[in-house]
Amino acid sequence: MIKKVAIVGVGYTNFRSTTPDLSYRELTYEAATKAYEEAGVDPRKDIDSFVSTAEDFFEGYSIADEYCPDQLGAVLKPVNTIAGDFLQSLITAYMMILTGRLNIVAVQAMSKASNMTTLGELELFAFDPVFNRPLAENPHFVAGLEMNRYLHDTKTTREQCAKVVVKNKKNALNNPYAGHGAKITVEDVLNSKIISYPLTHLDISPASDGAVVMVLASEEIAKKLTRKPIWIRGVGWCSDTFSLESRDWGESTSTRLAAEMAYKMADIDNPKKEIDVVELSDIYSYKELQHLEALKFCNKGEAGKMIDNGITEIGGELPVNPSGGSLGVGHLYECSGAQKTLEIVLQLRGEVGKRQVKNANIGLAHSWRGVPTTTSVIAILGN
Amino acid sequence: MGITEKINRNIDITSWKGKIPVNYIYTAGIAGEKFFREIKDNAKIVGTKCEKCEVTYVPPKIYCERCFARLENYIDVGTKGTIHTFTILHENLDGTKKEEPTIIAVVKIDGTDGGLIHWLGEIDPKDVKIGMHIKAVFKSKEKREGSILDIKYFKPI
Ligand SMILES: [Zn+2]
């Protein structure tokens, strides 16, 4: 029998397009302070280990992991840093507790995208240096290529993708921590300036700032610390080839395989029936639909119908991105999965007011790291 | 613990501009060397084939993605392919508007499981279709330097 591990405290800043008043480390400090207060733990005394999330160059540093301990209260304590998404760090912390040697572990991620003055060039540096980078094109072209193939294969329409933007920005209006809520129409999305056909400006989630810290604990400790532990029921992660030349352009294979891993662990046979609320990666509008299919909430090519029929609205049969998603909250880079996990935790605790999904007992958080990556991570949480 | 005093006047906020100058060389390796030499010297595209998996990799790799075998069988895969997907890009790297949009495609090279990411040329953006048959247009031999840009673009056949 696998040991139980719970999320016992969350702390987060607001997610905004800029945060000039705080340094990137102070952003994390703000989130950490809140998380430790909520969990009732002292990082200097009670926390056994820390997992931070950082990518070189994003903060203007190389060897960025060395700059993680202070703001988490982790100096002279066991720390390690994941160069990936927060959900990968969460799984690392989870596994640390499963060893039985550590009882309380903190996990962190943050984004200060507003500090990056050459975001496009930084993203271009993630491309293969001899086969792809010499084209020196705006990295959104990868999403344009993928969206076009996805629409071609599934007969999904641009209007259906635009409906995702309308829904998520509307959900964000009821979310105080979201920075990009708006009441817009399908026409607004279709008529916004074209970036990389078929992708328009409003199909793309805007880069944003923010930080999230969570505290995880073993079963025995979790029950002492909180009356509302949120249990980790299943996890899965998977990376496809980095090669743009040989990856699958129509579907998110890595999401499908990560989902199979997580569902098996959480003993889920019928995801649509058994999962009550979903936060999945919608860095680009079409990704929400593509990911719904990969996560087996419908067959390939049927996600467009789900949005048409209102199934993924907050009051629908399967609410998707009630927080507003990346389209409504903002694109948070390595912190994307943190915002998804945060929303699932708050939904399962029943603490989100107007955007509360009724009878939310099992939730799924999913992340993808944006172009040109192919890593997908999933956590299934329950109360 | 916690922040009790925050900066509350924008005028008090300072920032410093930084730059990370990163210079490096990248060696293309065994398979990359072979690929770029063939492009430069012979205007040919080569791939590697895994006989066991019956998969042909373009660009070539020295290992099979699926069975992890070492691959040494280089084959000339021709210069023709089909448009697997395409996009019409209107923005430059810095987000400014391009004077002319570029058409970028995933070109599946005929008879292989791989392809190249490249521009399309000699075609109007509104005429481009998925599945269209195209071929590589190379720079003249004296201008080729062993780069993916030795292929100018792909054009309709
Ligand atoms: Zn093989």
Side-chain angles (χ1 to χ4, degrees):
Chain A
M1 180 70 186
I2 198 158
K3 283 159 63 80
K4 286 176 78 178
V5 175
I7 297 168
V8 296
V10 296
Y12 53 99
T13 65
N14 282 325
F15 302 102
R16 292 290 181 267
S17 49
T18 62
T19 38
D21 59 331
L22 295 179
S23 74
Y24 82 87
R25 281 178 245 165
E26 291 166 348
L27 261 181
T28 286
Y29 178 67
E30 184 175 325
T33 310
K34 292 177 181 173
Y36 301 155
E37 176 63 21
E38 206 193 71
V41 294
D42 179 337
R44 306 302 296 153
K45 288 204 285 260
D46 306 321
I47 297 180
D48 300 316
S49 180
F50 300 80
V51 185
S52 67
T53 316
E55 192 71 82
D56 276 357
F57 299 118
F58 273 46
E59 270 59 65
Y61 285 90
S62 61
I63 322 184
D65 54 305
E66 286 294 314
Y67 292 85
C68 295
D70 307 49
Q71 56 271 29
L72 273 173
V75 168
L76 296 176
K77 292 267 223 169
V79 189
N80 68 311
T81 302
I82 300 290
D85 179 81
F86 171 89
L87 271 168
Q88 288 166 286
S89 303
L90 180 96
I91 294 171
T92 304
Y94 172 54
M95 292 190 289
M96 284 177 176
I97 296 173
L98 289 185
T99 65
R101 304 300 297 265
L102 302 153
N103 283 311
I104 305 180
V105 181
V107 196
Q108 173 270 0
M110 71 95 213
S111 163
K112 204 159 195 273
S114 64
N115 274 0
M116 287 180 257
T117 51
T118 53
L119 199 49
E121 284 177 62
L122 189 74
E123 288 177 345
L124 184 66
F125 254 77
F127 285 71
D128 182 281
V130 291
F131 289 103
N132 308 136
R133 211 183 294 161
L135 301 184
E137 293 283 22
N138 185 309
H140 287 312
F141 88 82
V142 175
L145 288 172
E146 191 182 50
M147 181 177 182
N148 202 12
R149 185 70 203 190
Y150 171 70
L151 298 186
H152 175 86
D153 283 354
T154 59
K155 310 292 171 234
T156 304
T157 63
R158 283 180 66 195
E159 285 74 12
Q160 288 168 326
C161 296
K163 283 181 185 176
V164 171
V165 185
V166 173
K167 168 180 75 70
N168 292 1
K169 284 195 176 287
K170 184 185 71 187
N171 288 352
L173 286 174
N174 286 317
N175 182 353
Y177 74 64
H180 297 276
K183 191 168 188 276
I184 57 166
T185 65
V186 166
E187 286 66 39
D188 291 334
V189 180
L190 297 177
N191 297 333
S192 71
K193 74 176 166 172
I194 188 99
I195 305 297
S196 194
Y197 170 87
L199 200 64
T200 71
H201 175 65
L202 288 174
D203 282 310
I204 304 171
S205 60
S208 282
D209 296 355
V212 177
V213 173
M214 294 192 191
V215 180
L216 273 60
S218 59
E219 182 172 16
E220 202 180 301
I221 306 276
K223 285 178 175 165
K224 281 184 199 152
L225 289 175
T226 175
R227 280 186 293 134
K228 284 185 188 170
I230 300 299
W231 303 103
I232 297 173
R233 301 279 190 100
V235 296
W237 66 103
C238 182
S239 297
D240 200 345
T241 172
F242 65 82
S243 163
L244 293 177
E245 290 80 4
S246 62
R247 65 172 60 174
D248 195 316
W249 286 92
E251 66 173 320
S252 177
T253 314
S254 61
T255 296
R256 177 166 54 79
L257 296 174
E260 284 170 8
M261 180 176 169
Y263 291 156
K264 191 175 170 200
M265 187 174 165
D267 206 16
I268 286 174
D269 302 315
N270 184 340
K272 193 175 167 196
K273 244 177 106 180
E274 295 173 58
I275 293 170
D276 306 312
V277 54
V278 179
E279 280 276 319
L280 54 71
S281 176
D282 60 330
I283 291 171
Y284 299 98
S285 61
Y286 73 93
K287 290 302 270 188
E288 175 164 319
L289 302 175
Q290 191 191 42
H291 288 145
L292 273 169
E293 293 167 9
L295 292 165
K296 302 174 191 262
F297 289 116
C298 61
N299 293 322
K300 197 172 170 182
E302 290 177 356
K305 262 183 274 167
M306 286 179 84
I307 186 97
D308 283 343
N309 297 332
I311 290 170
T312 54
E313 297 278 348
I314 287 175
E317 198 186 327
L318 184 79
V320 175
N321 290 328
S323 69
S326 299
L327 291 160
V329 176
H331 178 15
L332 298 164
Y333 292 83
E334 303 97 87
C335 192
S336 295
Q339 180 271 314
K340 306 288 182 195
T341 311
L342 169 69
E343 182 69 10
I344 295 297
V345 169
L346 299 178
Q347 286 280 350
L348 297 180
R349 288 177 179 174
E351 293 176 351
V352 292
K354 275 174 91 176
R355 65 180 198 284
Q356 182 65 50
V357 170
K358 289 202 182 75
N359 304 317
N361 291 307
I362 302 280
L364 181 147
H366 161 268
S367 72
W368 162 67
R369 300 185 57 206
V371 293
T373 74
T374 54
T375 294
S376 305
V377 196
I378 292 161
I380 295 165
L381 309 176
N383 57 13
Chain B
M1 267 188 309
I3 302 170
T4 58
E5 309 300 324
K6 285 193 173 176
I7 301 168
N8 53 16
R9 298 189 332 150
N10 277 335
I11 203 164
D12 294 336
I13 292 169
T14 335
S15 66
W16 291 265
K17 283 183 185 157
K19 203 174 181 179
I20 305 180
V22 185
N23 297 298
Y24 65 99
I25 61 160
Y26 185 87
T27 58
I30 300 166
E33 195 67 35
K34 181 92 178 157
F35 179 85
F36 287 111
R37 195 155 294 282
E38 285 293 336
I39 281 196
K40 184 178 181 223
D41 296 345
N42 306 314
K44 278 183 177 171
I45 299 170
V46 296
T48 46
K49 186 170 184 184
C50 177
E51 301 291 348
K52 188 166 153 237
C53 300
E54 294 184 335
V55 172
T56 303
Y57 293 97
V58 179
K61 299 185 181 190
I62 63 163
Y63 33 75
C64 176
E65 208 170 273
R66 313 200 183 178
C67 73
F68 212 51
R70 170 77 196 271
L71 306 180
E72 288 168 296
N73 182 13
Y74 288 86
I75 50 175
D76 175 355
V77 295
T79 60
K80 293 177 184 161
T82 56
I83 298 174
H84 183 67
T85 182
F86 70 94
T87 186
I88 303 157
L89 183 65
H90 293 258
E91 279 196 355
N92 294 310
L93 201 48
D94 62 0
T96 55
K97 194 173 162 28
K98 280 176 183 279
E99 271 177 37
E100 285 294 323
T102 47
I103 317 169
I104 305 171
V106 177
V107 183
K108 282 283 169 200
I109 301 293
D110 290 349
T112 77
D113 302 276
L116 295 173
I117 310 297
H118 225 296
W119 292 298
L120 297 181
E122 299 181 40
I123 184 166
D124 195 294
K126 62 180 184 297
D127 296 329
V128 182
K129 299 268 183 300
I130 286 175
M132 199 175 244
H133 210 201
I134 51 180
K135 69 172 183 188
V137 177
F138 289 84
K139 288 179 181 168
S140 59
K141 186 158 186 178
E142 65 279 6
K143 285 189 181 152
R144 294 202 297 264
E145 47 191 19
S147 152
I148 195 71
L149 302 182
D150 288 351
I151 298 173
K152 286 204 286 195
Y153 48 75
F154 281 77
K155 70 168 191 181
I157 299 174

